[in-house]
Amino acid sequence: MTSTTGPLTLRTLNRATLDRQLLLRRHPRPAGAAIGHLAGLQAQAPLAPYVGLWTRLTGFRPEDLSTLLAERSVVRAHLMRNTVHLVTAPDFVAFRPLFQPRMTRALAGSFGPRLQGVDLDELREVSAALLTARPLTRAQLSRELAARWPGHDPAALAYAATHLQPVVQVPPRGLWRQSGPAAFTLAAAWLDVSDPPDPAQAVEQIVLRYLAAYGPASVADIQAWSGLSRLREVTERLGPRLRPLAGPDGAKLLDLPDAPRPSPDIPAPPRFLPAYDNLLLSFADRSRVIPHGRPVPLPPGHGATTGTLLVDGLWQADWKITAHPDRAVLDITPFTPLAAGDEAAVAAEGARLIEFVTPGVDPDIRFASVR
């Protein structure tokens, strides 16, 4: 395949990705449809997806997502990069088998020596019965399995149980204002998993879905987002279903043939992203959204009161909300000086964020000095 266009600039890549990430303008689509379009939201911090959807959708309400979780239309589970993601139930069923080899390797790397002498097939069978009967936290699972395998590390046994087979985290974990400890149940007990697609088709779909939500991108980018390997074989198999492009410095990129690429001159409004948003994590080369090379932080907490701020489509500040009885303070810490017009736009968007996270209190927005 050869490229049919001139090299794309970083700004062109930035605007294309923002558009596909629903960040150039808020969209009216339902929360479930947005989660499907984005191929999932990072959910290591359990409430982060609420801010992630609020910043992307018009009229989004927390109960929209809480209802989807309670109805089992979306689930929280270890998937891409072996981290917790919020995905639609059909996507979990389709994509979860692709990640089993990575999860098995992660188990061996982290707990292999502590599982010596444990028959993993037996552990899988025993834990499957336990996790079918009722959801269990890892602490509860540790106690149950330690009785069967005395003398072995209970934490390693529980970690193995949640990585040797498809499991999901169940509510109230991830519910707005109701979140509890992570409790796991067998996916087959929570969802209809009777007819998963062929793995070869599933891996092709995950490549196409990534490009629809993040492209144009390189094979290395797709692998960085997913944690899967040998995806060049998949892109070569897809052949004419992909369009080759040249990126900055001649980098080889791929895209969907009819995917939108808006003008690089289109304005990008300020957007508050939650902690650990996938926009910042899903590229091997993150320069299209991170011009300064800073590592993406994962602050402690539930994910709804800290995050990163896009100004002109680039990560240029961090934010944190501190709630008080009569007001909520939004502290914005920029990395570079903000123009007067940008600061006003950020403040207006920040007031809307406060109303979403802590409704009914006075907003107090503070800009720190550039650090």
Side-chain angles (χ1 to χ4, degrees):
M1 296 187 295
T2 58
S3 176
T4 59
T5 187
L8 303 177
T9 65
L10 274 178
R11 189 173 175 89
T12 298
L13 289 177
N14 173 272
R15 291 313 195 249
T17 300
L18 292 179
D19 185 46
R20 297 179 205 188
Q21 282 286 299
L22 315 180
L23 290 167
L24 279 183
R25 59 183 177 86
R26 282 188 168 89
H27 288 250
R29 68 183 70 190
I35 294 166
H37 166 75
L38 296 167
L41 289 165
Q42 171 63 238
Q44 201 83 349
L47 300 187
Y50 290 88
V51 175
L53 291 170
W54 167 83
T55 205
R56 289 172 165 92
L57 304 179
T58 57
F60 172 74
R61 303 170 303 162
E63 53 266 34
D64 296 341
L65 177 51
S66 290
T67 298
L68 292 175
L69 282 162
E71 293 177 346
R72 310 186 189 189
S73 299
V74 300
V75 294
R76 304 179 70 258
H78 285 261
L79 284 171
M80 283 71 78
R81 306 185 299 279
N82 195 23
T83 59
V84 179
H85 276 70
L86 175 79
V87 296
T88 67
D91 280 353
F92 175 86
V93 173
F95 299 146
R96 173 58 177 80
L98 301 176
F99 298 100
Q100 187 58 57
R102 180 184 174 104
M103 293 181 182
T104 302
R105 291 193 300 271
L107 174 64
S110 299
F111 293 97
R114 287 184 260 175
L115 292 168
Q116 289 293 326
V118 176
D119 184 326
L120 295 183
D121 288 334
E122 183 184 2
L123 173 60
R124 183 188 300 109
E125 181 179 343
V126 171
S127 60
L130 292 169
L131 293 170
T132 298
R134 63 186 177 98
L136 296 171
T137 66
R138 281 211 179 105
Q140 293 169 329
L141 195 53
S142 295
R143 290 192 292 271
E144 296 278 359
L145 296 174
R148 182 69 172 259
W149 283 276
H152 287 87
D153 181 357
L157 295 170
Y159 189 91
T162 59
H163 276 68
L164 288 171
Q165 58 202 332
V167 297
V168 298
Q169 294 184 14
V170 301
R173 185 72 168 177
L175 297 183
W176 189 251
R177 307 303 188 201
Q178 302 178 56
S179 190
F184 300 85
T185 194
L186 204 69
W190 192 253
L191 302 171
D192 179 7
V193 297
S194 58
D195 190 24
D198 176 75
Q201 295 179 351
V203 74
E204 290 179 1
Q205 282 301 310
I206 211 167
V207 167
L208 297 172
R209 295 281 295 284
Y210 172 85
L211 291 174
Y214 294 92
S218 67
V219 173
D221 291 326
I222 308 171
Q223 294 183 158
W225 166 74
S226 65
L228 301 175
S229 60
R230 303 182 66 176
L231 293 186
R232 190 171 302 280
E233 300 172 9
V234 180
T235 60
E236 290 176 353
R237 190 165 70 238
L238 284 168
R241 297 177 68 182
L242 302 179
R243 180 183 181 185
L245 298 166
D249 303 322
K252 295 181 180 179
L253 304 179
L254 298 169
D255 205 0
L256 304 181
D258 300 323
R261 285 190 294 278
S263 166
D265 298 324
I266 190 171
R271 289 289 183 255
F272 286 87
L273 301 179
Y276 225 45
D277 193 274
N278 262 346
L279 174 71
L280 304 182
L281 296 169
S282 299
F283 302 95
D285 178 359
R286 300 173 176 178
S287 57
R288 71 179 71 190
V289 287
I290 305 179
H292 38 66
R294 288 174 177 266
V296 180
L298 179 56
H302 52 57
T305 54
T306 58
T308 54
L309 172 64
L310 301 180
V311 180
D312 193 27
L314 302 172
W315 176 27
Q316 297 197 45
D318 291 336
W319 62 270
K320 179 179 180 180
I321 291 177
T322 305
H324 300 275
D326 59 343
R327 74 190 195 286
V329 178
L330 171 60
D331 288 300
I332 297 168
T333 307
F335 311 137
T336 57
L338 301 181
D342 287 336
E343 188 167 307
V346 167
E349 184 72 356
R352 290 188 282 270
L353 173 65
I354 288 174
E355 179 60 24
F356 174 76
V357 174
T358 57
V361 300
D362 292 333
D364 183 359
I365 300 170
R366 304 174 180 177
F367 288 86
S369 299
V370 174
R371 67 181 187 189

